[in-house]
Amino acid sequence: MAWCSLAQLSTDPASPYHFLTPDPIPCPTAPCSPPCHPHLTFHSSAIPLPQPHQHVLVPSCASTSPLPAPALPCPLPTGPTPSPQLQQALLSFRWALWFFKNDKSKMWQANLRLVTKFSTVEDFWALYTHIQLASKLTSGCDYSLFKDGIEPMWEDSQNKRGGRWLITLAKQQRHTELDRFWLETLLCLIGEMFDEYSDEVCGAVINIRAKGDKIAIWTREAENREGVTHIGRVYKEHLGLSQKVAIGYQAHADTATKSGSLTKNKFVV
């Protein structure tokens, strides 16, 4: 069976992410009131997110009258019970979410905390819907999502030769574009939207700053021109940016020796 992309549960009907699973099957008690979820359908190969109400299927031989129950019990299903984990839509990689809060009284690494790790579509949405939106974070805070085993810092062995595609937002975009851009970034990462170059992606970071917020996708090898530019073009397309808007790629080695405003772009798309 084809691998299921995270986009199976995208809440935007017009999203470029689409279903790779078999045809959806209707809710067992449709029509629901209220509906189970306005944008989600039940799939035979994926467990939907926790719903505001549950559907309980009652065996046909269950007694609903005050008479004694039948002498023979209802037939029980035979065979092993499938593990819930096997029924979930597994991602190709395990991912880790990190949170950074700037406390100047502590060392930089002491301000970085691992929040949790996940490896399924369902666990991603459970996490995303229960953490604070990026636009609600205070200035100086970061979210980082990286493949398990890679820490969100230049010094990590899988980051140090790489770089980042950087999106810089104006102050007024925090309440209009920031959360959408960040969610699209997350979906691009764990949905592996960069085709054969998805292995080049290490993670993504969002910086909440008073002067203007930033979002970046980090890749592992800055000298891989073909892979880096492909990732940049696909990323720009999924963000819905105009062709007139240019985004730049900066090598970590350059960023580490210069301030962000002085770092030259290695590539531009």
Side-chain angles (χ1 to χ4, degrees):
M1 179 178 291
W3 170 79
C4 305
S5 83
L6 175 68
Q8 293 170 345
L9 300 180
S10 173
T11 57
D12 181 4
S15 170
Y17 311 101
H18 26 251
F19 296 89
L20 299 180
T21 53
D23 293 335
I25 59 177
C27 170
T29 60
C32 302
S33 180
C36 295
H37 192 287
H39 302 296
L40 301 184
T41 53
F42 284 75
H43 281 255
S44 58
S45 62
I47 299 176
L49 292 177
Q51 306 298 330
H53 62 279
Q54 295 180 334
H55 303 290
V56 180
L57 301 181
V58 181
S60 59
C61 59
S63 174
T64 57
S65 69
L67 297 176
L72 295 177
C74 298
L76 297 177
T78 59
T81 301
S83 168
Q85 183 70 17
L86 297 178
Q87 299 179 33
Q88 295 187 349
L90 290 172
L91 301 170
S92 292
F93 295 97
R94 193 180 191 198
W95 296 85
L97 179 71
W98 301 76
F99 176 71
F100 177 89
K101 184 175 182 179
N102 190 24
D103 183 344
K104 295 182 179 180
S105 66
K106 299 179 181 179
M107 298 293 289
W108 185 88
Q109 288 186 331
N111 288 324
L112 183 64
R113 298 292 183 88
L114 174 63
V115 178
T116 191
K117 299 179 182 182
F118 62 88
S119 58
T120 69
V121 172
E122 292 78 7
D123 287 344
F124 165 75
W125 284 113
L127 171 64
Y128 182 80
T129 56
H130 285 86
I131 61 174
Q132 199 166 33
L133 290 173
S135 62
K136 303 298 183 182
L137 297 178
T138 58
S139 182
C141 292
D142 302 343
Y143 278 142
S144 300
L145 186 76
F146 277 73
K147 289 175 179 174
D148 188 22
I150 306 177
E151 294 188 345
M153 56 184 69
W154 299 331
E155 297 83 358
D156 189 282
S157 60
Q158 298 191 62
N159 292 328
K160 63 182 181 180
R161 291 173 53 87
R164 62 177 182 171
W165 281 108
L166 182 63
I167 308 293
T168 303
L169 292 86
K171 290 182 180 181
Q172 59 270 26
Q173 289 181 283
R174 178 176 298 179
H175 302 294
T176 58
E177 301 284 0
L178 183 69
D179 291 327
R180 181 179 70 82
F181 280 179
W182 179 234
L183 178 57
E184 288 290 344
T185 302
L186 300 178
L187 293 175
C188 280
L189 262 61
I190 59 183
E192 293 194 67
M193 306 310 294
F194 304 112
D195 308 310
E196 67 269 27
Y197 297 110
S198 291
D199 286 345
E200 286 291 307
V201 173
C202 296
V205 181
I206 184 168
N207 310 121
I208 306 302
R209 301 293 185 268
K211 293 182 179 180
D213 306 321
K214 298 178 181 180
I215 300 176
I217 285 184
W218 288 28
T219 70
R220 70 177 67 251
E221 182 53 68
E223 298 302 323
N224 183 356
R225 174 187 290 269
E226 183 177 351
V228 167
T229 54
H230 177 82
I231 290 170
R233 286 193 295 267
V234 172
Y235 184 38
K236 180 178 176 179
E237 177 184 350
H238 280 280
L239 290 181
L241 298 178
S242 166
Q243 291 297 323
K244 297 179 181 179
V245 176
I247 62 174
Y249 181 88
Q250 301 172 349
H252 293 322
D254 294 337
T255 308
T257 57
K258 301 176 182 178
S259 66
S261 59
L262 298 176
T263 303
K264 293 184 178 180
N265 291 326
K266 190 175 183 68
F267 306 112
V268 176
V269 295

